[in-house]
Tab-separated table of all heavy atoms in Angstrom:
chain	number	residue	atom	x	y	z
A	112	GLN	N	42.317	-23.546	-49.231
A	112	GLN	CA	41.441	-23.915	-50.332
A	112	GLN	C	40.021	-23.398	-50.072
A	112	GLN	O	39.385	-22.818	-50.964
A	112	GLN	CB	41.426	-25.421	-50.546
A	112	GLN	CG	40.676	-25.846	-51.804
A	112	GLN	CD	40.800	-27.367	-52.059
A	112	GLN	OE1	41.333	-28.078	-51.250
A	112	GLN	NE2	40.282	-27.787	-53.191
A	113	VAL	N	39.498	-23.631	-48.871
A	113	VAL	CA	38.168	-23.143	-48.537
A	113	VAL	C	38.157	-21.593	-48.453
A	113	VAL	O	37.211	-20.985	-48.918
A	113	VAL	CB	37.679	-23.760	-47.210
A	113	VAL	CG1	36.364	-23.149	-46.775
A	113	VAL	CG2	37.545	-25.284	-47.340
A	114	ARG	N	39.201	-21.043	-47.908
A	114	ARG	CA	39.270	-19.592	-47.814
A	114	ARG	C	39.251	-18.948	-49.202
A	114	ARG	O	38.550	-17.942	-49.418
A	114	ARG	CB	40.519	-19.203	-47.053
A	114	ARG	CG	40.608	-17.708	-46.737
A	114	ARG	CD	41.934	-17.351	-46.096
A	114	ARG	NE	42.023	-15.937	-45.724
A	114	ARG	CZ	43.156	-15.316	-45.430
A	114	ARG	NH1	44.293	-15.977	-45.446
A	114	ARG	NH2	43.157	-14.039	-45.110
A	115	ASP	N	40.027	-19.507	-50.135
A	115	ASP	CA	40.034	-18.968	-51.482
A	115	ASP	C	38.693	-19.138	-52.147
A	115	ASP	O	38.255	-18.276	-52.914
A	115	ASP	CB	41.141	-19.696	-52.317
A	115	ASP	CG	42.531	-19.345	-51.842
A	115	ASP	OD1	42.677	-18.334	-51.125
A	115	ASP	OD2	43.469	-20.101	-52.137
A	116	ARG	N	38.005	-20.242	-51.870
A	116	ARG	CA	36.656	-20.452	-52.459
A	116	ARG	C	35.690	-19.399	-51.953
A	116	ARG	O	34.811	-18.955	-52.724
A	116	ARG	CB	36.183	-21.894	-52.147
A	116	ARG	CG	34.803	-22.199	-52.683
A	116	ARG	CD	34.688	-22.073	-54.193
A	116	ARG	NE	35.575	-22.981	-54.850
A	116	ARG	CZ	35.237	-24.254	-55.178
A	116	ARG	NH1	34.054	-24.704	-54.871
A	116	ARG	NH2	36.085	-25.020	-55.767
A	117	VAL	N	35.772	-19.036	-50.664
A	117	VAL	CA	34.917	-18.025	-50.109
A	117	VAL	C	35.111	-16.716	-50.832
A	117	VAL	O	34.167	-16.038	-51.225
A	117	VAL	CB	35.157	-17.874	-48.603
A	117	VAL	CG1	34.425	-16.643	-48.053
A	117	VAL	CG2	34.715	-19.115	-47.829
A	118	ALA	N	36.383	-16.329	-51.018
A	118	ALA	CA	36.680	-15.060	-51.701
A	118	ALA	C	36.172	-15.097	-53.155
A	118	ALA	O	35.631	-14.118	-53.673
A	118	ALA	CB	38.195	-14.815	-51.676
A	119	GLN	N	36.294	-16.270	-53.787
A	119	GLN	CA	35.829	-16.419	-55.146
A	119	GLN	C	34.293	-16.329	-55.230
A	119	GLN	O	33.763	-15.654	-56.114
A	119	GLN	CB	36.309	-17.782	-55.704
A	119	GLN	CG	35.815	-18.097	-57.124
A	119	GLN	CD	36.241	-19.491	-57.545
A	119	GLN	OE1	37.154	-20.061	-57.025
A	119	GLN	NE2	35.523	-20.015	-58.545
A	120	ASN	N	33.605	-17.012	-54.329
A	120	ASN	CA	32.143	-16.992	-54.367
A	120	ASN	C	31.592	-15.606	-54.056
A	120	ASN	O	30.558	-15.222	-54.639
A	120	ASN	CB	31.594	-17.988	-53.350
A	120	ASN	CG	31.841	-19.432	-53.722
A	120	ASN	OD1	32.201	-19.723	-54.888
A	120	ASN	ND2	31.692	-20.338	-52.793
A	121	LEU	N	32.251	-14.842	-53.220
A	121	LEU	CA	31.777	-13.513	-52.856
A	121	LEU	C	32.346	-12.450	-53.770
A	121	LEU	O	31.948	-11.246	-53.628
A	121	LEU	CB	32.137	-13.177	-51.407
A	121	LEU	CG	31.453	-14.063	-50.329
A	121	LEU	CD1	31.945	-13.682	-48.936
A	121	LEU	CD2	29.928	-13.936	-50.403
A	122	GLY	N	33.278	-12.786	-54.660
A	122	GLY	CA	33.850	-11.811	-55.559
A	122	GLY	C	34.709	-10.819	-54.875
A	122	GLY	O	34.755	-9.637	-55.247
A	123	LEU	N	35.443	-11.285	-53.866
A	123	LEU	CA	36.321	-10.340	-53.100
A	123	LEU	C	37.647	-10.178	-53.826
A	123	LEU	O	38.181	-11.094	-54.436
A	123	LEU	CB	36.571	-10.928	-51.701
A	123	LEU	CG	35.314	-11.185	-50.812
A	123	LEU	CD1	35.773	-11.807	-49.473
A	123	LEU	CD2	34.538	-9.924	-50.623
A	124	ASP	N	38.159	-8.967	-53.748
A	124	ASP	CA	39.446	-8.637	-54.385
A	124	ASP	C	40.619	-9.045	-53.494
A	124	ASP	O	41.754	-9.022	-53.912
A	124	ASP	CB	39.539	-7.158	-54.684
A	124	ASP	CG	38.493	-6.696	-55.704
A	124	ASP	OD1	38.062	-7.570	-56.543
A	124	ASP	OD2	38.058	-5.534	-55.664
A	125	GLN	N	40.356	-9.275	-52.237
A	125	GLN	CA	41.380	-9.665	-51.296
A	125	GLN	C	40.939	-10.898	-50.536
A	125	GLN	O	39.772	-11.278	-50.535
A	125	GLN	CB	41.648	-8.524	-50.309
A	125	GLN	CG	40.390	-8.075	-49.557
A	125	GLN	CD	40.677	-6.854	-48.710
A	125	GLN	OE1	41.779	-6.334	-48.691
A	125	GLN	NE2	39.646	-6.403	-48.010
A	126	PRO	N	41.903	-11.606	-49.873
A	126	PRO	CA	41.530	-12.828	-49.142
A	126	PRO	C	40.443	-12.524	-48.083
A	126	PRO	O	40.450	-11.436	-47.471
A	126	PRO	CB	42.816	-13.265	-48.500
A	126	PRO	CG	43.900	-12.707	-49.369
A	126	PRO	CD	43.358	-11.375	-49.846
A	127	SER	N	39.546	-13.445	-47.917
A	127	SER	CA	38.474	-13.278	-46.905
A	127	SER	C	39.032	-13.413	-45.499
A	127	SER	O	40.113	-14.047	-45.313
A	127	SER	CB	37.397	-14.320	-47.148
A	127	SER	OG	37.927	-15.642	-46.995
A	128	PRO	N	38.395	-12.858	-44.498
A	128	PRO	CA	38.830	-13.064	-43.123
A	128	PRO	C	38.871	-14.541	-42.781
A	128	PRO	O	38.053	-15.319	-43.286
A	128	PRO	CB	37.733	-12.358	-42.296
A	128	PRO	CG	37.165	-11.338	-43.210
A	128	PRO	CD	37.193	-11.975	-44.607
A	129	ARG	N	39.817	-14.926	-41.978
A	129	ARG	CA	39.958	-16.351	-41.618
A	129	ARG	C	38.823	-16.799	-40.702
A	129	ARG	O	38.287	-16.022	-39.918
A	129	ARG	CB	41.305	-16.619	-40.967
A	129	ARG	CG	42.483	-16.457	-41.921
A	129	ARG	CD	43.752	-16.974	-41.301
A	129	ARG	NE	44.867	-16.881	-42.235
A	129	ARG	CZ	45.135	-17.777	-43.154
A	129	ARG	NH1	44.366	-18.887	-43.214
A	129	ARG	NH2	46.161	-17.644	-43.984
A	130	ALA	N	38.526	-18.062	-40.827
A	130	ALA	CA	37.487	-18.649	-39.982
A	130	ALA	C	38.155	-19.622	-39.011
A	130	ALA	O	39.236	-20.149	-39.267
A	130	ALA	CB	36.449	-19.420	-40.806
A	131	SER	N	37.533	-19.820	-37.852
A	131	SER	CA	37.985	-20.837	-36.895
A	131	SER	C	36.888	-21.870	-36.779
A	131	SER	O	35.717	-21.559	-36.906
A	131	SER	CB	38.252	-20.187	-35.517
A	131	SER	OG	37.094	-19.609	-34.997
A	132	ALA	N	37.273	-23.099	-36.542
A	132	ALA	CA	36.303	-24.186	-36.466
A	132	ALA	C	36.584	-25.018	-35.246
A	132	ALA	O	37.750	-25.165	-34.807
A	132	ALA	CB	36.352	-25.056	-37.739
A	133	ASP	N	35.555	-25.598	-34.656
A	133	ASP	CA	35.717	-26.487	-33.539
A	133	ASP	C	34.526	-27.441	-33.500
A	133	ASP	O	33.457	-27.158	-34.042
A	133	ASP	CB	35.790	-25.701	-32.200
A	133	ASP	CG	34.503	-24.911	-31.942
A	133	ASP	OD1	34.259	-23.953	-32.668
A	133	ASP	OD2	33.764	-25.272	-31.004
A	134	SER	N	34.736	-28.605	-32.900
A	134	SER	CA	33.670	-29.601	-32.828
A	134	SER	C	32.682	-29.231	-31.711
A	134	SER	O	33.072	-28.639	-30.722
A	134	SER	CB	34.280	-30.991	-32.549
A	134	SER	OG	34.997	-30.983	-31.359
A	135	VAL	N	31.451	-29.614	-31.917
A	135	VAL	CA	30.399	-29.354	-30.916
A	135	VAL	C	30.224	-30.595	-30.077
A	135	VAL	O	29.577	-31.536	-30.462
A	135	VAL	CB	29.058	-28.940	-31.622
A	135	VAL	CG1	27.987	-28.694	-30.569
A	135	VAL	CG2	29.271	-27.748	-32.514
A	136	GLY	N	30.829	-30.557	-28.891
A	136	GLY	CA	30.688	-31.666	-27.980
A	136	GLY	C	31.228	-32.956	-28.577
A	136	GLY	O	32.186	-32.972	-29.339
A	137	GLN	N	30.564	-34.083	-28.261
A	137	GLN	CA	30.957	-35.396	-28.796
A	137	GLN	C	30.110	-35.758	-29.990
A	137	GLN	O	29.588	-36.872	-30.102
A	137	GLN	CB	30.805	-36.473	-27.685
A	137	GLN	CG	31.645	-36.206	-26.444
A	137	GLN	CD	33.143	-36.206	-26.767
A	137	GLN	OE1	33.618	-37.063	-27.538
A	137	GLN	NE2	33.873	-35.256	-26.202
A	138	THR	N	29.892	-34.832	-30.894
A	138	THR	CA	29.044	-35.027	-32.078
A	138	THR	C	29.876	-34.893	-33.350
A	138	THR	O	31.058	-34.549	-33.322
A	138	THR	CB	27.893	-33.994	-32.110
A	138	THR	OG1	28.436	-32.679	-32.334
A	138	THR	CG2	27.143	-33.983	-30.759
A	139	ASP	N	29.229	-35.127	-34.462
A	139	ASP	CA	29.857	-34.953	-35.766
A	139	ASP	C	29.529	-33.549	-36.353
A	139	ASP	O	29.593	-33.337	-37.573
A	139	ASP	CB	29.372	-36.022	-36.762
A	139	ASP	CG	29.852	-37.414	-36.362
A	139	ASP	OD1	30.809	-37.484	-35.582
A	139	ASP	OD2	29.312	-38.406	-36.828
A	140	VAL	N	29.166	-32.626	-35.485
A	140	VAL	CA	28.820	-31.287	-35.898
A	140	VAL	C	30.020	-30.381	-35.667
A	140	VAL	O	30.689	-30.444	-34.632
A	140	VAL	CB	27.623	-30.731	-35.114
A	140	VAL	CG1	27.342	-29.298	-35.453
A	140	VAL	CG2	26.384	-31.590	-35.364
A	141	ILE	N	30.362	-29.586	-36.707
A	141	ILE	CA	31.451	-28.626	-36.611
A	141	ILE	C	30.924	-27.221	-36.673
A	141	ILE	O	30.097	-26.900	-37.516
A	141	ILE	CB	32.449	-28.868	-37.780
A	141	ILE	CG1	33.094	-30.262	-37.642
A	141	ILE	CG2	33.566	-27.803	-37.754
A	141	ILE	CD1	34.073	-30.565	-38.757
A	142	ARG	N	31.334	-26.403	-35.730
A	142	ARG	CA	30.924	-25.009	-35.662
A	142	ARG	C	31.998	-24.165	-36.376
A	142	ARG	O	33.182	-24.256	-36.057
A	142	ARG	CB	30.779	-24.551	-34.227
A	142	ARG	CG	30.351	-23.071	-34.073
A	142	ARG	CD	30.448	-22.609	-32.658
A	142	ARG	NE	29.576	-23.367	-31.754
A	142	ARG	CZ	30.021	-24.232	-30.823
A	142	ARG	NH1	31.322	-24.411	-30.658
A	142	ARG	NH2	29.186	-24.877	-30.049
A	143	ILE	N	31.519	-23.318	-37.296
A	143	ILE	CA	32.412	-22.433	-38.073
A	143	ILE	C	32.155	-21.023	-37.615
A	143	ILE	O	31.019	-20.519	-37.713
A	143	ILE	CB	32.170	-22.592	-39.574
A	143	ILE	CG1	32.370	-24.054	-40.024
A	143	ILE	CG2	33.143	-21.669	-40.353
A	143	ILE	CD1	31.969	-24.294	-41.478
A	144	THR	N	33.184	-20.317	-37.124
A	144	THR	CA	33.029	-18.999	-36.546
A	144	THR	C	33.914	-18.009	-37.317
A	144	THR	O	35.073	-18.296	-37.623
A	144	THR	CB	33.428	-18.963	-35.082
A	144	THR	OG1	32.621	-19.934	-34.356
A	144	THR	CG2	33.210	-17.582	-34.468
A	145	VAL	N	33.336	-16.864	-37.649
A	145	VAL	CA	34.035	-15.807	-38.352
A	145	VAL	C	33.906	-14.526	-37.541
A	145	VAL	O	32.768	-14.181	-37.087
A	145	VAL	CB	33.553	-15.584	-39.791
A	145	VAL	CG1	34.292	-14.440	-40.437
A	145	VAL	CG2	33.721	-16.864	-40.593
A	146	ARG	N	34.952	-13.772	-37.398
A	146	ARG	CA	34.923	-12.465	-36.682
A	146	ARG	C	35.110	-11.342	-37.698
A	146	ARG	O	35.943	-11.428	-38.592
A	146	ARG	CB	35.999	-12.392	-35.628
A	146	ARG	CG	35.800	-13.384	-34.480
A	146	ARG	CD	36.795	-13.135	-33.378
A	146	ARG	NE	36.525	-13.992	-32.203
A	146	ARG	CZ	36.972	-13.737	-30.978
A	146	ARG	NH1	37.713	-12.643	-30.777
A	146	ARG	NH2	36.701	-14.555	-29.998
A	147	ASP	N	34.340	-10.285	-37.502
A	147	ASP	CA	34.447	-9.136	-38.389
A	147	ASP	C	33.945	-7.913	-37.651
A	147	ASP	O	33.164	-7.996	-36.693
A	147	ASP	CB	33.593	-9.344	-39.664
A	147	ASP	CG	33.978	-8.384	-40.754
A	147	ASP	OD1	34.899	-8.679	-41.555
A	147	ASP	OD2	33.307	-7.314	-40.837
A	148	GLU	N	34.437	-6.730	-38.092
A	148	GLU	CA	34.014	-5.486	-37.470
A	148	GLU	C	32.567	-5.115	-37.853
A	148	GLU	O	31.973	-4.282	-37.198
A	148	GLU	CB	34.946	-4.363	-37.903
A	148	GLU	CG	36.393	-4.546	-37.402
A	148	GLU	CD	37.308	-3.473	-37.883
A	148	GLU	OE1	36.848	-2.594	-38.652
A	148	GLU	OE2	38.515	-3.494	-37.502
A	149	ASN	N	32.022	-5.778	-38.849
A	149	ASN	CA	30.665	-5.584	-39.255
A	149	ASN	C	29.849	-6.866	-38.933
A	149	ASN	O	30.198	-7.935	-39.338
A	149	ASN	CB	30.572	-5.271	-40.739
A	149	ASN	CG	29.156	-4.947	-41.191
A	149	ASN	OD1	28.262	-5.822	-41.198
A	149	ASN	ND2	28.929	-3.711	-41.610
A	150	SER	N	28.799	-6.703	-38.133
A	150	SER	CA	28.028	-7.864	-37.681
A	150	SER	C	27.393	-8.627	-38.835
A	150	SER	O	27.372	-9.860	-38.847
A	150	SER	CB	26.991	-7.428	-36.658
A	150	SER	OG	26.096	-6.473	-37.244
A	151	VAL	N	26.865	-7.913	-39.837
A	151	VAL	CA	26.251	-8.566	-40.974
A	151	VAL	C	27.249	-9.345	-41.781
A	151	VAL	O	27.046	-10.471	-42.224
A	151	VAL	CB	25.521	-7.536	-41.857
A	151	VAL	CG1	24.917	-8.199	-43.090
A	151	VAL	CG2	24.394	-6.830	-41.054
A	152	ASN	N	28.426	-8.720	-41.991
A	152	ASN	CA	29.488	-9.407	-42.723
A	152	ASN	C	29.918	-10.689	-42.001
A	152	ASN	O	30.226	-11.696	-42.633
A	152	ASN	CB	30.703	-8.480	-42.880
A	152	ASN	CG	30.443	-7.375	-43.878
A	152	ASN	OD1	29.453	-7.406	-44.596
A	152	ASN	ND2	31.325	-6.352	-43.886
A	153	ALA	N	29.983	-10.646	-40.701
A	153	ALA	CA	30.359	-11.819	-39.918
A	153	ALA	C	29.424	-12.988	-40.195
A	153	ALA	O	29.830	-14.145	-40.396
A	153	ALA	CB	30.433	-11.500	-38.429
A	154	ALA	N	28.135	-12.705	-40.206
A	154	ALA	CA	27.133	-13.740	-40.452
A	154	ALA	C	27.210	-14.256	-41.879
A	154	ALA	O	27.136	-15.457	-42.127
A	154	ALA	CB	25.713	-13.206	-40.146
A	155	VAL	N	27.354	-13.343	-42.854
A	155	VAL	CA	27.451	-13.746	-44.272
A	155	VAL	C	28.695	-14.622	-44.485
A	155	VAL	O	28.615	-15.644	-45.144
A	155	VAL	CB	27.503	-12.481	-45.151
A	155	VAL	CG1	27.831	-12.893	-46.597
A	155	VAL	CG2	26.160	-11.738	-45.096
A	156	LEU	N	29.800	-14.240	-43.894
A	156	LEU	CA	31.049	-14.986	-44.096
A	156	LEU	C	30.953	-16.353	-43.426
A	156	LEU	O	31.480	-17.338	-43.979
A	156	LEU	CB	32.216	-14.182	-43.518
A	156	LEU	CG	32.681	-13.000	-44.339
A	156	LEU	CD1	33.637	-12.119	-43.529
A	156	LEU	CD2	33.328	-13.442	-45.592
A	157	ALA	N	30.310	-16.436	-42.270
A	157	ALA	CA	30.177	-17.744	-41.599
A	157	ALA	C	29.345	-18.717	-42.465
A	157	ALA	O	29.726	-19.890	-42.622
A	157	ALA	CB	29.535	-17.561	-40.229
A	158	ASP	N	28.275	-18.231	-43.033
A	158	ASP	CA	27.451	-19.069	-43.902
A	158	ASP	C	28.211	-19.440	-45.194
A	158	ASP	O	28.111	-20.535	-45.693
A	158	ASP	CB	26.132	-18.369	-44.287
A	158	ASP	CG	25.164	-18.333	-43.089
A	158	ASP	OD1	25.299	-19.167	-42.196
A	158	ASP	OD2	24.275	-17.474	-43.100
A	159	GLU	N	28.956	-18.463	-45.710
A	159	GLU	CA	29.707	-18.717	-46.938
A	159	GLU	C	30.832	-19.726	-46.704
A	159	GLU	O	31.117	-20.544	-47.594
A	159	GLU	CB	30.266	-17.382	-47.475
A	159	GLU	CG	30.827	-17.506	-48.872
A	159	GLU	CD	29.827	-18.023	-49.876
A	159	GLU	OE1	28.629	-17.609	-49.830
A	159	GLU	OE2	30.188	-18.896	-50.711
A	160	TYR	N	31.471	-19.684	-45.553
A	160	TYR	CA	32.480	-20.696	-45.258
A	160	TYR	C	31.872	-22.097	-45.202
A	160	TYR	O	32.505	-23.037	-45.663
A	160	TYR	CB	33.166	-20.349	-43.925
A	160	TYR	CG	34.496	-19.688	-44.055
A	160	TYR	CD1	34.602	-18.309	-43.989
A	160	TYR	CD2	35.666	-20.417	-44.293
A	160	TYR	CE1	35.846	-17.661	-44.148
A	160	TYR	CE2	36.887	-19.801	-44.436
A	160	TYR	CZ	36.975	-18.417	-44.350
A	160	TYR	OH	38.183	-17.816	-44.532
A	161	ALA	N	30.671	-22.205	-44.647
A	161	ALA	CA	30.003	-23.502	-44.618
A	161	ALA	C	29.697	-24.000	-46.026
A	161	ALA	O	29.963	-25.173	-46.374
A	161	ALA	CB	28.706	-23.405	-43.780
A	162	ARG	N	29.208	-23.102	-46.865
A	162	ARG	CA	28.876	-23.487	-48.255
A	162	ARG	C	30.147	-23.830	-49.029
A	162	ARG	O	30.202	-24.817	-49.774
A	162	ARG	CB	28.149	-22.344	-48.947
A	162	ARG	CG	27.680	-22.678	-50.359
A	162	ARG	CD	26.611	-21.697	-50.834
A	162	ARG	NE	27.199	-20.386	-51.139
A	162	ARG	CZ	27.588	-20.072	-52.398
A	162	ARG	NH1	27.426	-20.896	-53.386
A	162	ARG	NH2	28.074	-18.861	-52.632
A	163	ALA	N	31.191	-23.030	-48.866
A	163	ALA	CA	32.427	-23.282	-49.556
A	163	ALA	C	33.074	-24.597	-49.126
A	163	ALA	O	33.618	-25.369	-49.971
A	163	ALA	CB	33.414	-22.131	-49.347
Side-chain angles (χ1 to χ4, degrees):
Q112 188 175 7
V113 173
R114 187 186 183 195
D115 293 341
R116 178 61 61 88
V117 170
Q119 177 184 341
N120 291 346
L121 294 178
L123 301 178
D124 297 332
Q125 56 186 0
S127 60
R129 291 191 177 275
S131 61
D133 62 292
S134 59
V135 180
Q137 301 298 317
T138 68
D139 293 341
V140 176
I141 296 179
R142 181 190 299 110
I143 304 173
T144 303
V145 178
R146 295 188 174 199
D147 195 88
E148 295 177 358
N149 185 293
S150 59
V151 176
N152 288 348
V155 171
L156 286 167
D158 287 339
E159 191 56 42
Y160 260 96
R162 184 165 74 94

